Amino acid sequence: MDDLLAEFIAETREMLEASSGEIVAWEADPADRARLDTIFRFVHTVKGNCGFFDFPRLAELSHAAEDALADCRAGRRDPDPQMVSAVLAIIDRIAQMVDAIEAGEDISNADPDGGDQALIDAVNVSRETSGEDGASAVKQGSSPRLHAPASALIDHADDAASDRAVSSRRADPSAAQRTIRLPVELLDRVMSGVSDMVLARNDLAHRLRQAGNQPTIDGPFERLTTILSDVRDAITRMRMQRIETLFSAMPRLVRDLSAELGKQVMVDLDGGDVELDREMIETIRDPLTHIIRNAIDHGIEPPSARLTNGKREIGLLAIAARQSGNTIAIVISDDGHGLDEDRIAAKAIATGLITAAERSAMSRDKILNLIFEPGFSTAEVVSNVSGRGVGLDVVRQNLEKVGGSIKVSSQPGHGTLFTLQIPLTLSIIAGLTVEVSGQRFAIPQSYVEEIVQASTTALDLSHMGETALITFRGTRVPCLMLADVLGLDTSADAARDPTLVMLRLASGDLFALAVDGIHNHGDLVVKPLAPAVMKSGLYAGSTLLDDGQPVLLLDVANIAAAHDLVSDGRARVLQPVADEAAKPALALPRAMLFTDCNGRRSAVRLELVQRIETAPVSAIDCSGPRPRVVIDGLILPLIDLPDTPVPGSENAGRVRLLRLSDGACELLVAVRQVEDAVELAGPLIPVPEDPLAEAVTLVDGQPVTLIDAHELFARYGEPPVAAGRPQCSLPADDWARTILAPLVISAGYEIVPPEAADPHTIAIVFDEVFEAAEALGRGLTGPVIRLRDRPEATAGSDTIYRYDRDALLSALTSAARFAHHPGGRA
Amino acid sequence: MTNQLLVIVQIAGRRCALSALDVKSVIEIGTVTPIPRAPAHISGITALRSQALTVIDCRLALGLVQHAWPTDARAAVVAEGGHAYALKVDQIEDITTAIGEPGQVPGGFGAQWSRVATGMIETLTGPALLIDLSALIAGPDTLRHEVEAA
């Protein structure tokens, strides 16, 4: 019984909360039908529940309100202001009673002060008359407050304060969502159960692949995979919580602070329906609170000062959340006096963060962002509101810990704007798997700027004392060897030809991490590590790969900090200044520069380049009219291959290929050497005589041919074909099964039952069967190989003796070519 | 508490007891991924279904010098402080019932053993050292730090 009661209270509260916005809106526009329906549903549900729980007073109240609302719905009466007030008063009363029930007070007794009856009368009276009676009864019955829910909504219980700080909120006419309450542990269990299922599925997939194609199993398995990924998505969304839960505390915080500081602040919340991982919400609660405190304490001026400056007496604090892709931006803006550039600069010079000379070279933006540097605080008087020893540097640190960032901009005299960027979720991140010394590690994708594969000479790797430097796009960038960082043995091979992962820290610093190889990238479900492991400062968590192997996630920020790669305030401020000067005013088209197999320097627009592939010469098939290459199980057209010799044969039988895509089609361009991505700053001069060239331009004083992508794809583009093994159907007898089948399989064909054959399937049949089928007019559609029993060929029939191995294999090969390049006959 | 169920294991040749309530399961230990630069007693992480377990070598967690102890292919899975650990021991023997309360012995168990042991406990299959899991998992370093702090 107690459980049911608790459920009832919770449900009623939830509905009150949900409908409180509706009530206010209805009050403003009583003719609004949708709001009326929502409120009607609420009183109706309360009435039903009260009957069940034997709360006669609640039942009577809700019944009266329901009657009145039902009349309005049926059009028997118009909702006049008196009636709206009366209904609102009843809803207030219901809220009070629910509180009383929860507190364990006995409300089953008859109406103590007659207030209930007065309210009921008010609803009924106003049905006939709109006289004074009803209105006064409402006032009498709805003591202590007429509009408690409305003010509760904006969180001002205190009347005295409500004229100091007025808050508003955009009430969304939210659709009534059916919800249930669940303990969080249960949710976590379901989540880990689904993760287990995904791993079990991956294991099964692995085994199925080993067992070969089994059409009867593959279909259901595909379905299982689809369902599982749907469930996984839904479960992931379960973790999400509306940022509203965080916002709901803000009006109260603002009210209390403004009261304490003698300021008038209005808070405007927007984007409360943005959803965020619930752990992330907890993480940003403190930083957000801190910034709001700062804004009210230091940003917004006292009312008198505001009036003098020609502003409204009431300051405005706007908090808005927006989702864009995988990140959430939270913007906190105030219309206070803004940040004082000179004071910040003076303070920074005084504390030794920057020198006076540096200051004069710094832009306003750079100076303002100094407030996030450790040991910085502008407030001359440390009040008890902000300045509690926790500075903005801690705010930034906490945000960076979860992969977020913060920046500030400000207009003098007009206000300040803080922008927080935070990732959507803590537990699932995009990551890159790298290998070093035979062990795999994961790196959060958000840090990865670029992956560079080149020889040490091309990168100009040099050692300055203990520090390694590489030259990347003309700048020297510090380089860490991951094997050294982790104390693993380095193989000589890897050291000679490392793969560099360029990592950009939240502070803007760039460094390179040398690894042996890159595996793949994808979404990683990150699990926490034991505290003893976390203490090493190298890892942020662990994750399981598809094959169930656990992998450690590197804590990039911490590793960089441990190697002193995070510049201190001074260097950090100086570096971007140089960057800015180098940045061209206009975004230029970028292109990938390469030397093609004929030694011509060419370029292709960077947007087209999917990847740089390295393929063994054996993956190239030159048998058809056009060369093709097999990459990742796909057959793709290959162009620009010189006749002889195969390019890059000096590269131990490997070819460099640029993989281009127009979105649907892919093709590969063989190149001798990939140089670099460049900006096309020079003028583009059209070359009408070469259809494959869009233009010729100058890069570093050298002419470069820019390839015409339109012509390229028009000529060669075709959607990728899965490199499935060619299929072959066999006669249904023991000889074919035991003697012919192994030969056909070892020749690289897949045996399919005749009923599963498609037009590309090569049918091997006995000549008798073939002739019989022809005679019956049911000839086979696909390529056919006819076998005869006797070695001697019958004149005029195209058959092969069944033990003539060579003839059989060559027939298969030509038939397979026909199957893939329809147009000729086998 | 009498009649407490205990899991008897051999650590560095000594009979030790873990409270059966703490032991979630006993698993065959699969591939262990080593963790570079982690404390010596942490052998690495291994996967148990979708969960990652931290593998603790109990012998090294006691601060004992590496020695040719036999190692059971099975490990006891325990949860401590919200994290799951797999304990590598010489051998997992059996489950038995405690008789009486854990007690001390004159002269103690020796510095390292005293750190991880709650006391000696009599069981149906003879005496064993009752292990305090959090002290065991914390490893030998904490002791040194405590000494330094004191």
Side-chain angles (χ1 to χ4, degrees):
Chain A
M1 184 64 194
D2 277 349
D3 282 354
L4 285 174
L5 193 59
E7 201 80 54
F8 163 66
I9 292 167
E11 194 189 340
T12 313
R13 280 256 171 77
E14 211 161 70
M15 286 169 66
L16 263 175
E17 248 165 59
S19 57
S20 54
E22 309 288 320
I23 292 171
V24 177
W26 186 52
E27 191 181 22
D29 179 15
D32 190 335
R33 182 63 193 241
R35 316 252 190 233
L36 177 65
D37 285 351
T38 312
I39 298 164
F40 178 78
R41 262 199 304 278
F42 168 66
V43 283
H44 180 77
T45 315
V46 172
K47 193 190 82 171
N49 288 346
C50 301
F52 182 64
F53 281 105
D54 193 26
F55 291 133
R57 281 178 59 200
L58 270 182
E60 263 174 57
L61 281 170
S62 45
H63 185 75
E66 193 197 354
D67 277 353
L69 291 170
D71 283 351
C72 290
R73 275 158 59 99
R76 282 193 291 275
R77 73 190 268 208
D78 290 325
D80 52 69
Q82 274 76 25
M83 189 202 129
V84 174
S85 299
V87 170
L88 291 181
I90 285 180
I91 289 170
D92 282 3
R93 191 72 166 194
I94 291 172
Q96 285 167 24
M97 281 187 183
V98 168
D99 289 351
I101 292 168
E102 192 182 42
E105 289 169 32
D106 192 0
I107 63 149
S108 58
N109 289 343
D111 204 357
D113 53 8
D116 288 1
Q117 199 49 51
L119 288 172
I120 292 164
D121 288 344
V123 175
N124 294 331
V125 161
S126 57
R127 188 184 296 198
E128 287 90 31
T129 66
S130 55
E132 269 302 299
D133 277 10
S136 63
V138 168
K139 286 209 178 85
Q140 185 198 344
S142 69
S143 62
R145 300 188 299 278
L146 191 59
H147 297 294
S151 43
L153 167 77
I154 49 177
D155 225 337
H156 295 137
D158 198 342
D159 287 348
S162 60
D163 45 13
R164 279 197 173 172
V166 186
S167 75
S168 71
R169 190 189 213 179
R170 288 176 204 176
D172 309 314
S174 50
Q177 258 184 331
R178 278 155 48 96
T179 55
I180 52 165
R181 309 164 159 272
L182 287 173
V184 167
E185 302 93 81
L186 181 64
L187 218 56
D188 284 345
R189 232 172 70 203
V190 174
M191 281 196 65
S192 75
V194 170
S195 302
D196 283 350
M197 268 158 72
V198 171
L199 288 174
R201 188 216 75 93
N202 293 342
D203 190 23
L204 191 60
H206 188 64
R207 276 158 213 253
L208 283 178
R209 267 201 305 279
Q210 281 176 338
N213 259 24
Q214 291 161 62
T216 49
I217 298 176
D218 288 351
F221 182 74
E222 277 307 308
R223 217 169 70 226
L224 176 76
T225 306
T226 325
I227 295 169
L228 202 53
S229 68
D230 277 359
V231 172
R232 200 184 184 186
D233 279 357
I235 293 279
T236 313
R237 277 214 302 280
M238 274 191 198
R239 279 186 75 90
M240 300 298 191
Q241 205 171 35
R242 283 171 166 231
I243 205 164
E244 213 153 40
T245 52
L246 184 60
F247 279 4
S248 60
M250 296 305 161
R252 179 60 190 269
L253 176 79
V254 171
R255 188 197 75 81
D256 289 355
L257 282 175
S258 49
E260 196 176 322
L261 296 164
K263 294 180 181 176
Q264 295 187 7
V265 183
M266 186 164 87
V267 59
D268 178 45
L269 298 168
D270 187 21
D273 54 346
V274 168
E275 293 190 330
L276 200 56
D277 190 287
R278 61 184 154 77
E279 279 176 60
M280 194 61 88
I281 287 188
E282 286 314 307
T283 319
I284 60 168
R285 188 182 293 274
D286 283 349
L288 208 55
T289 312
H290 188 89
I291 293 168
I292 291 172
R293 277 201 183 118
N294 263 325
I296 298 174
D297 195 8
H298 306 313
I300 292 175
E301 315 92 325
S304 53
R306 290 184 65 88
L307 284 174
T308 326
N309 293 333
K311 292 186 188 175
R312 275 179 64 196
E313 206 173 348
I314 302 169
L316 179 75
L317 185 71
I319 306 170
R322 288 280 177 277
Q323 180 178 353
S324 57
N326 253 343
T327 55
I328 302 272
I330 299 179
V331 176
I332 303 141
S333 57
D334 65 60
D335 64 347
H337 55 62
L339 293 176
D340 188 336
E341 180 184 340
D342 291 330
R343 259 176 59 202
I344 292 171
K347 182 75 185 282
I349 293 168
T351 49
L353 276 173
I354 53 170
T355 63
E358 285 166 358
R359 186 251 176 277
S360 52
M362 282 166 74
S363 67
R364 173 173 166 81
D365 219 35
K366 293 274 157 344
I367 293 172
L368 296 186
N369 281 286
L370 283 171
I371 58 171
F372 299 113
E373 297 303 327
F376 192 90
S377 171
T378 44
E380 267 114 54
V381 187
V382 176
S383 69
N384 65 339
V385 175
S386 48
R388 286 169 201 224
V390 195
L392 282 167
D393 57 319
V394 179
V395 169
R396 182 168 73 181
Q397 242 174 49
N398 287 340
L399 286 170
E400 282 179 358
K401 225 179 258 171
V402 296
S405 67
I406 183 170
K407 59 174 191 274
V408 67
S409 64
S410 172
Q411 285 290 319
H414 287 93
T416 311
L417 190 136
F418 285 90
T419 309
L420 280 74
Q421 294 274 2
I422 39 176
L424 203 56
T425 162
L426 263 183
S427 59
I428 299 181
I429 62 161
L432 182 77
T433 320
V434 301
E435 182 172 314
V436 67
S437 307
Q439 207 181 327
R440 291 186 193 186
F441 296 92
I443 298 173
Q445 188 85 54
S446 58
Y447 288 107
V448 179
E449 178 106 338
E450 198 164 336
I451 294 164
V452 183
Q453 197 155 22
S455 62
T456 45
T457 42
L459 289 168
D460 193 15
L461 182 75
S462 53
H463 290 267
M464 298 291 129
E466 296 289 313
T467 307
L469 290 174
I470 58 154
T471 307
F472 176 68
R473 305 255 156 84
T475 34
R476 295 213 185 270
V477 175
C479 175
L480 289 181
M481 308 291 163
L482 186 57
D484 293 348
V485 171
L486 298 174
L488 296 169
D489 297 328
T490 15
S491 57
D493 255 8
R496 202 162 11 87
D497 198 7
T499 302
L500 295 175
V501 184
M502 306 302 296
L503 299 170
R504 170 87 61 188
L505 297 169
S507 58
D509 295 294
L510 185 73
F511 75 98
L513 195 65
V515 299
D516 294 357
I518 304 285
H519 274 279
N520 54 358
H521 54 90
D523 284 348
L524 307 174
V525 179
V526 181
K527 310 248 166 165
L529 282 168
V533 181
M534 293 297 274
K535 233 182 273 169
S536 67
L538 295 168
Y539 313 107
S542 71
T543 184
L544 297 181
L545 294 184
D546 281 353
D547 58 2
Q549 192 195 341
V551 162
L552 294 154
L553 181 73
L554 296 175
D555 186 343
V556 173
N558 226 338
I559 290 174
H563 290 81
D564 289 329
L565 293 179
V566 184
S567 48
D568 56 13
R570 187 177 312 185
R572 184 186 308 168
V573 171
L574 283 179
Q575 204 173 339
V577 173
D579 280 0
E580 249 168 41
K583 209 191 303 174
L586 216 109
L588 293 167
R590 286 163 65 80
M592 176 67 83
L593 198 64
F594 63 91
T595 310
D596 71 8
C597 297
N598 303 318
R600 192 169 62 153
R601 267 162 64 92
S602 308
V604 58
R605 286 182 187 272
L606 198 59
E607 292 80 9
L608 293 169
V609 180
Q610 207 68 358
R611 236 190 282 178
I612 301 170
E613 303 274 5
T614 308
V617 170
S618 60
I620 298 173
D621 166 37
C622 296
S623 58
R626 272 189 217 164
R628 271 150 223 283
V629 63
V630 179
I631 300 270
D632 296 342
L634 294 172
I635 301 177
L636 298 167
L638 174 64
I639 56 170
D640 228 8
L641 195 67
D643 310 329
T644 44
V646 175
S649 49
E650 66 271 18
N651 271 343
R654 302 181 82 78
V655 196
R656 284 274 191 191
L657 305 165
L658 285 180
R659 186 167 177 170
L660 309 183
S661 168
D662 67 346
C665 304
E666 291 194 332
L667 52 83
L668 288 139
V669 179
V671 298
R672 180 171 292 168
Q673 200 188 353
V674 177
E675 285 178 35
D676 201 354
V678 291
E679 277 171 344
L680 298 174
L684 302 176
I685 298 142
V687 202
E689 59 276 13
D690 185 352
L692 268 177
E694 180 189 327
V696 171
T697 186
L698 286 178
V699 174
D700 300 333
Q702 299 278 324
V704 166
T705 312
L706 186 62
I707 288 177
D708 187 326
H710 187 273
E711 184 63 27
L712 193 69
F713 276 98
R715 257 191 217 189
Y716 303 104
E718 58 182 65
V721 181
R725 290 190 299 170
Q727 295 181 329
C728 189
S729 71
L730 298 184
D733 65 7
D734 280 344
W735 178 82
R737 258 196 299 281
T738 53
I739 298 177
L740 183 59
L743 170 73
V744 173
I745 291 171
S746 69
Y749 294 82
E750 190 184 341
I751 306 291
V752 294
E755 58 273 16
D758 61 31
H760 290 173
T761 306
I762 303 157
I764 301 183
V765 292
F766 283 108
D767 199 30
E768 307 92 88
V769 180
F770 180 78
E771 278 167 3
E774 290 275 271
L776 288 170
R778 285 187 291 159
L780 294 152
T781 48
V784 179
I785 296 173
R786 289 149 70 187
L787 301 181
R788 62 175 188 265
D789 287 341
R790 279 158 296 115
E792 311 80 39
T794 325
S797 80
D798 180 17
T799 56
I800 295 168
Y801 174 48
R802 62 175 175 167
Y803 283 116
D804 186 347
R805 189 186 185 102
D806 294 337
L808 198 56
L809 288 181
S810 71
L812 275 172
T813 316
S814 60
R817 194 166 302 146
F818 163 76
H820 277 281
H821 312 296
R825 287 223 51 102
Chain B
M1 199 201 344
T2 51
N3 301 332
Q4 191 189 357
L5 276 177
L6 299 171
V7 178
I8 300 296
V9 297
Q10 290 266 1
I11 301 176
R14 310 292 198 279
R15 282 187 93 228
C16 298
L18 301 169
S19 166
L21 292 174
D22 292 337
V23 180
K24 304 283 171 222
S25 57
V26 171
I27 58 159
E28 291 281 338
I29 222 160
T31 328
V32 178
T33 307
I35 305 177
R37 300 222 191 255
H41 69 284
I42 295 175
S43 307
I45 50 174
T46 189
L48 171 62
R49 296 191 297 276
S50 69
Q51 213 183 357
L53 302 178
T54 310
V55 184
I56 304 270
D57 190 323
C58 291
R59 286 74 56 97
L60 300 179
L62 277 165
L64 302 174
V65 188
Q66 186 71 54
H67 177 76
W69 292 292
T71 300
D72 201 313
R74 297 169 301 166
V77 177
V78 298
E80 164 68 31
H83 295 277
Y85 296 89
L87 301 182
K88 239 161 78 173
V89 295
D90 300 3
Q91 199 193 346
I92 297 180
E93 287 189 354
D94 203 357
I95 293 181
T96 187
T97 310
I99 327 170
E101 299 292 322
Q104 300 300 315
V105 291
F109 309 111
Q112 285 296 344
W113 287 99
S114 296
R115 181 176 64 82
V116 301
T118 314
M120 185 194 78
I121 195 158
E122 287 290 346
T123 71
L124 289 177
T125 54
L129 208 55
L130 188 62
I131 299 290
D132 173 5
L133 274 181
S134 57
L136 181 72
I137 288 166
D141 287 338
T142 47
L143 183 75
R144 233 174 288 136
H145 289 158
E146 273 161 23
V147 171
E148 278 165 18

